[in-house]
Amino acid sequence: MVRIIVRVTAALLSLVLVGCAEPAFPRDPDDTLQRASGGTLRVGVSDHPPFTEVADDGSVSGDEVEIIEGYAESIGATVEWRDGAESELVELLDLGQLDVVIGGIASNSPWSKHAAFTRPYTRVVGTDGKAQKMVIAARLGENALLTSLDRYLIEKGLRA
């Protein structure tokens, strides 16, 4: 009986020690937040006024552009913009070639199966007259980046 107790205690102690050795959570499997902090935040943007506008010369503006520029500044990053259709941008996000995608994405978007969404930062009335909660898309699994972006939205008072 004493042997069993000693073995169970040793096993539990091993599990506790292994748990203490785990890196901090949340974490990014591809270290997106770590790479972007002090470096470059790669942002996909689709034209969807007033959230985002892409000019003929490639310059971008809009409410979500301002949010991303403020967030990038908060982590010491410069923004590298890539404009395109939502479908193209979400594919690039999935491939790890983009860090976030903006462009008037609603929380009920079909892209929710291919991207992680921030908490809704505002609510608007859609063309159908129903309220829509607006979000920013990030790569699935990159939880440290997503959490950092969510914290920024909260700090700025952006809530739906």
Side-chain angles (χ1 to χ4, degrees):
M1 181 69 167
V2 172
R3 279 182 142 173
I4 293 173
I5 292 173
V6 169
R7 286 183 182 166
V8 169
T9 302
L12 290 174
L13 184 58
S14 296
L15 289 173
V16 168
L17 292 175
V18 168
C20 291
E22 278 295 310
F25 287 97
R27 63 182 179 187
D28 292 338
D30 291 332
D31 294 323
T32 302
L33 179 59
Q34 183 178 357
R35 179 190 41 75
S37 296
T40 302
L41 182 67
R42 303 169 305 173
V43 181
V45 56
S46 65
D47 190 54
H48 191 200
F51 306 103
T52 53
E53 294 185 51
V54 181
D56 291 339
D57 66 359
S59 61
V60 295
S61 61
D63 298 341
E64 290 182 357
V65 170
E66 291 176 14
I67 291 170
I68 290 298
E69 287 175 340
Y71 172 69
E73 184 178 328
S74 78
I75 63 169
T78 57
V79 180
E80 179 182 293
W81 299 103
R82 168 89 183 246
D83 67 288
E86 276 186 14
S87 58
E88 172 193 1
L89 298 173
V90 171
E91 183 177 337
L92 292 172
L93 184 69
D94 190 42
L95 293 171
Q97 295 176 21
L98 292 175
D99 303 321
V100 296
V101 173
I102 60 173
I105 300 171
S107 61
N108 62 350
S109 164
W111 302 122
S112 65
K113 294 178 182 173
H114 305 281
F117 291 159
T118 61
R119 58 189 307 288
Y121 70 87
T122 193
R123 186 184 313 241
V124 298
V125 177
T127 55
D128 60 0
K130 295 182 181 177
Q132 293 184 325
K133 295 177 181 177
M134 308 312 290
V135 296
I136 297 171
R139 189 166 181 218
L140 285 171
E142 296 303 291
N143 298 323
L145 175 70
L146 188 64
T147 300
S148 174
L149 188 49
D150 274 334
R151 284 186 185 134
Y152 177 80
L153 294 173
I154 291 167
E155 287 170 8
K156 295 301 175 185
L158 299 170
R159 295 185 171 106

